[in-house]
Amino acid sequence: MKKVPFVTKEKIEEITKTYPTPFHIYDEKGIRENAKAVKEAFAWNKGFKEYFAVKATPNPFLIDILHEYGCGCDCSSLTELMLSNALGINGEDVMFSSNDTPQEDYEYAAKIGAIINLDDITHIAFLEKILGKLPETMSCRYNPGGVFQMSNGIMDNPGDSKYGFTTEQLFEGFRILKEKGVKRFGIHAFLASNTVTNEYYPQLAGQLFELAVKLKEETGVSVSFINLSGGVGIPYTPEQEPNDIRVIGEGVRKVYEEILVPAGMGDVAIYTEMGRFMMGPYGALVTQAIHEKHTHKEYIGVDACAVNLMRPAMYGAYHHITVLGKEDHPCGHQYDVTGSLCENNDKFAIDRMLPEIEKGDYLVIHDTGAHGHAMGYNYNGKLRSAELLLKEEGSVQLIRRAETPKDYFATLDCFEVFEKIFG
């Protein structure tokens, strides 16, 4: 599959007259089409809801778009809860899935009526002590341990994950919650990350549906919803075939009717918490080549760096690169594409075959719509870039301004150094 940017060289040249590179830009049309497809894929389930993983792209303008299609918010921290509530997304439209959770986070989640998804059996007593009484609706995160294996091999290793209840703890936890007055129960599990296969959700669903039936039989609880969480991935490389959310939805429906319906559980709602799939392909980091270096290797230096996109430096993750205006040129030059951090892993690409790049060329780094800007940081005193929204009709909206030096020094405002810098 050829990766084609959703923005042209001519459009970027127009945009940079107002907003200098680097910046993250998002495709409103693509976001809306994808959100609509997800909603349609699970329309067979009356209670379906997608809880967008706020950590992936915590921008209110983008979350608002998803909310138009019925999406709620999956939050993992106090500030994410605050952002959601400020947008009018609260109550059971918010799933609070956290771990090693501070008291104030639980307090705020309860205050706005979010569904609290417990990560550990010890948090039952912790939460009860904080709130005095547990909410009537509660969810628990499940971790079966071992490895998660599918027909195409091992997908991930839940046994090494810090998250969730063991099988024994889940049954015991549900019994305790029931004794303490909880009426509605949910099961949540995340067993593999960024799967590019239509099989993952149906296979996970089958395991959780069977678990839900056993929980009902052995504990008498009412399982109201089953949260398949995230894990539905995107094709970062051109060779990968993208997931088909309609095929995935139909696969989940099939096992739902095979397992839950015969058990008298045909009213169980299906929830998802996709971040990468909802937003990843519809964001890009746009940067400009500003230097070239010819030493032991050929280097192209750009005006973005790992503070704008951490994934390649942190994980060695692949992000496809398009040189705007040279989409059809032969990829006859091998480059390391680097940023300016004082770290040798600050590279967007290593030994990547690309068209010849000249200073001034614009590069589009694909698939940064999730876990891109959100993972930014300020090492080396670098400043995080702006976020722009390419509207459906072609205009561009600034949805987060770029940081300034004053932002960087703002937390020193109680010290003399701030006054010395800014007067």
Side-chain angles (χ1 to χ4, degrees):
M1 181 187 76
K2 185 177 181 181
K3 281 190 170 289
V4 179
F6 57 80
V7 65
T8 64
K9 178 183 178 183
E10 291 72 26
K11 190 66 180 179
I12 290 301
E13 288 174 337
E14 175 190 330
I15 292 169
T16 53
K17 292 174 183 176
T18 305
Y19 305 110
T21 55
F23 52 74
H24 286 269
I25 188 166
Y26 304 92
D27 175 22
E28 181 182 15
K29 183 173 183 290
I31 293 168
R32 289 186 179 278
E33 289 176 352
N34 189 55
K36 183 171 179 285
V38 169
K39 186 175 181 179
E40 291 173 353
F42 288 92
W44 55 267
N45 183 260
K46 186 177 178 181
F48 173 74
K49 182 173 283 291
E50 156 61 22
Y51 289 86
F52 173 65
V54 173
K55 60 182 167 286
T57 322
N59 189 293
F61 292 88
L62 303 177
I63 294 170
D64 252 347
I65 292 173
L66 296 179
H67 191 49
E68 290 181 34
Y69 296 86
C71 297
C73 287
D74 165 50
C75 299
S76 59
S77 69
L78 174 60
T79 48
E80 289 181 359
L81 289 165
M82 293 171 69
L83 173 59
S84 174
N85 191 46
L87 292 170
I89 305 172
N90 44 44
E92 294 201 354
D93 280 347
V94 176
M95 184 73 62
F96 182 52
S97 297
S98 174
N99 74 95
D100 191 22
T101 309
Q103 175 176 328
E104 56 268 28
D105 293 33
Y106 275 141
E107 289 173 336
Y108 193 88
K111 177 183 174 182
I112 68 171
I115 298 173
I116 294 175
N117 181 38
L118 294 175
D119 182 69
D120 187 73
I121 194 169
T122 65
H123 288 200
I124 297 174
F126 183 66
L127 185 63
E128 186 179 32
K129 184 178 179 181
I130 293 168
L131 302 181
K133 182 182 178 182
L134 295 176
E136 288 195 356
T137 300
M138 295 287 297
S139 178
C140 295
R141 182 167 184 166
Y142 174 56
N143 183 339
V147 297
F148 185 78
Q149 196 161 357
M150 295 175 59
S151 60
N152 49 356
I154 293 174
M155 303 301 291
D156 220 321
N157 189 354
D160 280 344
S161 169
K162 68 175 181 174
Y163 305 109
F165 290 57
T166 66
T167 304
E168 296 76 15
Q169 289 173 342
L170 190 69
F171 279 79
E172 178 63 17
F174 271 41
R175 290 188 183 99
I176 295 170
L177 291 171
K178 184 183 178 186
E179 290 171 5
K180 292 182 178 296
V182 174
K183 306 295 186 188
R184 297 174 64 242
F185 294 80
I187 306 170
H188 171 288
F190 179 89
L191 302 186
S193 180
N194 194 38
T195 62
V196 190
T197 167
N198 295 327
E199 297 176 35
Y200 170 62
Y201 255 8
Q203 185 164 326
L204 171 65
Q207 291 188 20
L208 296 184
F209 295 166
E210 290 174 353
L211 178 66
V213 172
K214 289 180 182 177
L215 282 164
K216 179 185 176 183
E217 292 172 349
E218 296 186 24
T219 69
V221 303
S222 171
V223 177
S224 299
F225 59 87
I226 294 173
N227 191 334
L228 303 178
S229 188
V232 178
I234 62 173
Y236 284 102
T237 67
E239 296 78 23
Q240 291 177 302
E241 284 293 321
N243 285 318
D244 186 330
I245 197 63
R246 289 182 172 84
V247 172
I248 291 170
E250 179 60 19
V252 175
R253 184 197 63 77
K254 185 173 182 290
V255 291
Y256 186 99
E257 293 182 355
E258 289 173 354
I259 299 170
L260 290 182
V261 173
M265 299 174 68
D267 58 348
V268 173
I270 300 300
Y271 296 162
T272 58
E273 289 174 357
M274 295 181 285
R276 195 189 315 263
F277 184 81
M278 298 302 294
M279 202 68 71
Y282 313 109
L285 174 60
V286 181
T287 183
Q288 189 171 32
I290 57 174
H291 289 291
E292 58 184 54
K293 184 172 184 174
H294 315 283
T295 54
H296 305 291
K297 302 181 76 173
E298 293 294 299
Y299 295 96
I300 292 295
V302 296
D303 59 5
C305 63
V307 305
N308 307 112
L309 179 63
M310 183 193 274
R311 295 186 74 253
M314 187 175 185
Y315 305 123
Y318 179 96
H319 281 264
H320 198 65
I321 295 175
T322 295
V323 184
L324 290 180
K326 298 182 178 179
E327 291 86 346
D328 297 322
H329 290 207
C331 294
H333 291 72
Q334 183 172 287
Y335 296 113
D336 282 14
V337 179
T338 79
S340 59
L341 283 187
C342 295
E343 292 288 342
N344 196 45
N345 66 349
D346 181 22
K347 297 178 179 180
F348 295 113
I350 297 173
D351 296 331
R352 184 76 60 86
M353 298 304 296
L354 293 164
E356 183 176 9
I357 299 174
E358 301 167 275
K359 285 185 283 187
D361 281 346
Y362 291 107
L363 280 63
V364 168
I365 303 177
H366 291 249
D367 301 315
T368 71
H371 313 292
H373 189 281
M375 294 178 73
Y377 56 108
N378 290 120
Y379 183 54
N380 276 191
K382 295 294 186 179
L383 304 175
R384 283 172 284 196
S385 61
E387 291 182 292
L388 309 177
L389 180 63
L390 178 63
K391 305 284 282 184
E392 285 186 288
E393 87 286 352
S395 66
V396 171
Q397 180 182 2
L398 178 68
I399 58 173
R400 190 190 301 270
R401 67 167 175 80
E403 288 182 337
T404 68
K406 196 165 186 177
D407 296 316
Y408 178 78
F409 292 109
T411 52
L412 296 171
D413 59 0
C414 55
F415 301 102
E416 291 180 3
V417 66
F418 188 84
E419 295 180 4
K420 288 179 180 178
I421 295 170
F422 294 104

